[in-house]
mmCIF file of all heavy atoms in Angstrom:
data_model
loop_
_atom_site.group_PDB
_atom_site.id
_atom_site.type_symbol
_atom_site.label_atom_id
_atom_site.label_comp_id
_atom_site.label_asym_id
_atom_site.label_seq_id
_atom_site.Cartn_x
_atom_site.Cartn_y
_atom_site.Cartn_z
ATOM 1 N N GLY A 77 -19.306 47.085 -21.001
ATOM 2 C CA GLY A 77 -18.105 46.349 -20.586
ATOM 3 C C GLY A 77 -17.644 46.815 -19.211
ATOM 4 O O GLY A 77 -17.306 46.005 -18.339
ATOM 5 N N ALA A 78 -17.679 48.140 -18.986
ATOM 6 C CA ALA A 78 -17.249 48.685 -17.694
ATOM 7 C C ALA A 78 -18.215 48.270 -16.588
ATOM 8 O O ALA A 78 -17.800 47.906 -15.492
ATOM 9 C CB ALA A 78 -17.154 50.206 -17.782
ATOM 10 N N LEU A 79 -19.522 48.277 -16.898
ATOM 11 C CA LEU A 79 -20.514 47.893 -15.879
ATOM 12 C C LEU A 79 -20.421 46.407 -15.522
ATOM 13 O O LEU A 79 -20.753 46.004 -14.414
ATOM 14 C CB LEU A 79 -21.930 48.207 -16.372
ATOM 15 C CG LEU A 79 -22.378 49.654 -16.264
ATOM 16 C CD1 LEU A 79 -23.796 49.800 -16.800
ATOM 17 C CD2 LEU A 79 -22.307 50.142 -14.819
ATOM 18 N N ALA A 80 -19.956 45.591 -16.483
ATOM 19 C CA ALA A 80 -19.881 44.149 -16.237
ATOM 20 C C ALA A 80 -18.898 43.829 -15.109
ATOM 21 O O ALA A 80 -19.097 42.871 -14.357
ATOM 22 C CB ALA A 80 -19.467 43.420 -17.512
ATOM 23 N N ILE A 81 -17.873 44.665 -14.960
ATOM 24 C CA ILE A 81 -16.849 44.355 -13.944
ATOM 25 C C ILE A 81 -17.426 44.394 -12.522
ATOM 26 O O ILE A 81 -17.397 43.368 -11.833
ATOM 27 C CB ILE A 81 -15.616 45.280 -14.109
ATOM 28 C CG1 ILE A 81 -14.967 45.004 -15.484
ATOM 29 C CG2 ILE A 81 -14.601 45.058 -12.988
ATOM 30 C CD1 ILE A 81 -13.964 46.054 -15.930
ATOM 31 N N PRO A 82 -18.019 45.515 -12.067
ATOM 32 C CA PRO A 82 -18.602 45.481 -10.716
ATOM 33 C C PRO A 82 -19.775 44.513 -10.591
ATOM 34 O O PRO A 82 -19.990 43.926 -9.527
ATOM 35 C CB PRO A 82 -19.065 46.921 -10.477
ATOM 36 C CG PRO A 82 -19.136 47.557 -11.819
ATOM 37 C CD PRO A 82 -18.132 46.847 -12.681
ATOM 38 N N THR A 83 -20.506 44.286 -11.703
ATOM 39 C CA THR A 83 -21.653 43.362 -11.641
ATOM 40 C C THR A 83 -21.191 41.944 -11.340
ATOM 41 O O THR A 83 -21.694 41.289 -10.424
ATOM 42 C CB THR A 83 -22.433 43.379 -12.973
ATOM 43 O OG1 THR A 83 -22.821 44.721 -13.262
ATOM 44 C CG2 THR A 83 -23.673 42.499 -12.907
ATOM 45 N N VAL A 84 -20.205 41.485 -12.114
ATOM 46 C CA VAL A 84 -19.723 40.115 -11.928
ATOM 47 C C VAL A 84 -19.069 39.968 -10.546
ATOM 48 O O VAL A 84 -19.275 38.974 -9.850
ATOM 49 C CB VAL A 84 -18.742 39.723 -13.062
ATOM 50 C CG1 VAL A 84 -18.057 38.388 -12.763
ATOM 51 C CG2 VAL A 84 -19.480 39.651 -14.391
ATOM 52 N N MET A 85 -18.316 41.003 -10.132
ATOM 53 C CA MET A 85 -17.689 40.941 -8.803
ATOM 54 C C MET A 85 -18.754 40.808 -7.716
ATOM 55 O O MET A 85 -18.614 40.013 -6.778
ATOM 56 C CB MET A 85 -16.837 42.189 -8.551
ATOM 57 C CG MET A 85 -15.486 42.113 -9.253
ATOM 58 S SD MET A 85 -14.618 43.699 -9.264
ATOM 59 C CE MET A 85 -14.358 43.963 -7.511
ATOM 60 N N THR A 86 -19.852 41.556 -7.849
ATOM 61 C CA THR A 86 -20.918 41.503 -6.846
ATOM 62 C C THR A 86 -21.618 40.152 -6.861
ATOM 63 O O THR A 86 -21.939 39.589 -5.813
ATOM 64 C CB THR A 86 -21.939 42.639 -7.087
ATOM 65 O OG1 THR A 86 -21.230 43.873 -7.166
ATOM 66 C CG2 THR A 86 -22.962 42.712 -5.969
ATOM 67 N N GLU A 87 -21.841 39.611 -8.068
ATOM 68 C CA GLU A 87 -22.462 38.288 -8.186
ATOM 69 C C GLU A 87 -21.658 37.240 -7.407
ATOM 70 O O GLU A 87 -22.217 36.445 -6.665
ATOM 71 C CB GLU A 87 -22.538 37.852 -9.658
ATOM 72 C CG GLU A 87 -23.477 38.676 -10.516
ATOM 73 C CD GLU A 87 -24.911 38.177 -10.453
ATOM 74 O OE1 GLU A 87 -25.116 37.033 -10.011
ATOM 75 O OE2 GLU A 87 -25.808 38.945 -10.827
ATOM 76 N N PHE A 88 -20.352 37.262 -7.609
ATOM 77 C CA PHE A 88 -19.506 36.299 -6.900
ATOM 78 C C PHE A 88 -19.562 36.540 -5.394
ATOM 79 O O PHE A 88 -19.639 35.606 -4.599
ATOM 80 C CB PHE A 88 -18.052 36.379 -7.395
ATOM 81 C CG PHE A 88 -17.825 35.578 -8.657
ATOM 82 C CD1 PHE A 88 -17.595 36.202 -9.869
ATOM 83 C CD2 PHE A 88 -17.852 34.185 -8.622
ATOM 84 C CE1 PHE A 88 -17.399 35.462 -11.038
ATOM 85 C CE2 PHE A 88 -17.660 33.437 -9.776
ATOM 86 C CZ PHE A 88 -17.432 34.090 -10.993
ATOM 87 N N TYR A 89 -19.552 37.824 -5.026
ATOM 88 C CA TYR A 89 -19.558 38.174 -3.604
ATOM 89 C C TYR A 89 -20.821 37.667 -2.912
ATOM 90 O O TYR A 89 -20.763 37.059 -1.842
ATOM 91 C CB TYR A 89 -19.418 39.692 -3.452
ATOM 92 C CG TYR A 89 -19.598 40.169 -2.033
ATOM 93 C CD1 TYR A 89 -18.633 39.889 -1.064
ATOM 94 C CD2 TYR A 89 -20.744 40.877 -1.662
ATOM 95 C CE1 TYR A 89 -18.807 40.310 0.244
ATOM 96 C CE2 TYR A 89 -20.923 41.302 -0.355
ATOM 97 C CZ TYR A 89 -19.956 41.016 0.598
ATOM 98 O OH TYR A 89 -20.132 41.420 1.882
ATOM 99 N N ILE A 90 -21.992 37.875 -3.532
ATOM 100 C CA ILE A 90 -23.217 37.475 -2.842
ATOM 101 C C ILE A 90 -23.493 35.975 -2.909
ATOM 102 O O ILE A 90 -24.256 35.457 -2.108
ATOM 103 C CB ILE A 90 -24.474 38.250 -3.324
ATOM 104 C CG1 ILE A 90 -24.731 38.049 -4.810
ATOM 105 C CG2 ILE A 90 -24.383 39.722 -2.980
ATOM 106 C CD1 ILE A 90 -26.011 38.725 -5.279
#
Side-chain angles (χ1 to χ4, degrees):
L79 281 180
I81 297 166
T83 304
V84 171
M85 281 168 64
T86 307
E87 293 274 343
F88 277 110
Y89 172 70
I90 60 176

